[in-house]
């Protein structure tokens, strides 16, 4: 049985470790990128089934990353962000994100 491949693009190591442990325990194969540039690279080489994306990355805004990925891929993108403003959520969804979770969130929600 092939595991579902998840690409996590998150610069906060504690959040990344939490999500990685949770996804691993649930049987997903997970790769982790600490910034947008690395995330874009892994999105092509790792060929994930889904991308979990933080918007506040150190080298680029996650909205820009959504836009770039959407120019060549239909891979589902789930935003995981501390940005709670409705306009941030709408912008991410309008650019092609498939869902938006606000930090903090529960493992069941994820």
């Amino acid at each position: 049985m092939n595991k579902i491949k998840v690409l996590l693009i998150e610069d906060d190591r504690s959040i990344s470790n939490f999500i990685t442990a949770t996804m691993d325990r649930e049987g997903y194969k997970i790769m982790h990128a600490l910034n947008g540039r690395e995330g874009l690279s892994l999105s092509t080489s790792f060929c994930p089934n889904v991308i979990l994306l933080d918007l506040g990355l150190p080298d680029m805004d996650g909205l820009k990353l959504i836009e770039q990925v959407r120019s060549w891929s239909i891979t589902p993108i789930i935003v995981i962000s501390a940005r709670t403003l409705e306009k941030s959520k709408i912008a991410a969804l309008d650019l092609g994100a498939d869902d938006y979770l606000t930090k903090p969130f529960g493992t069941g929600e994820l």
Side-chain angles (χ1 to χ4, degrees):
M1 182 174 100
N2 288 337
K3 289 185 173 184
I4 293 174
K5 297 191 295 184
V6 177
L7 173 58
L8 172 62
I9 307 172
E10 168 65 68
D11 64 318
D12 184 312
R13 287 191 186 274
S14 62
I15 293 171
S16 170
N17 290 341
F18 167 73
I19 293 173
T20 299
T22 300
M23 300 301 281
D24 190 53
R25 192 170 48 249
E26 294 295 325
Y28 296 93
K29 181 176 182 177
I30 188 155
M31 287 289 290
H32 174 237
L34 290 169
N35 59 54
R37 193 171 55 253
E38 185 183 5
L40 284 171
S41 175
L42 283 172
S43 67
T44 58
S45 63
F46 180 59
C47 300
N49 299 102
V50 65
I51 298 170
L52 303 179
L53 172 65
D54 180 28
L55 294 181
L57 300 170
D59 62 338
M60 69 172 33
D61 190 284
L63 295 175
K64 188 69 177 165
L65 193 140
I66 294 169
E67 200 171 33
Q68 289 183 32
V69 169
R70 279 293 168 257
S71 71
W72 57 269
S73 174
I74 60 166
T75 301
I77 299 171
I78 300 173
V79 172
I80 299 174
S81 180
R83 297 181 188 174
T84 58
L85 293 177
E86 184 180 21
K87 69 179 185 174
S88 295
K89 294 176 186 179
I90 292 169
L93 295 168
D94 282 350
L95 286 171
D98 295 277
D99 205 349
Y100 195 109
L101 294 178
T102 303
K103 294 177 189 172
F105 54 85
T107 57
E109 185 178 11
L110 178 60

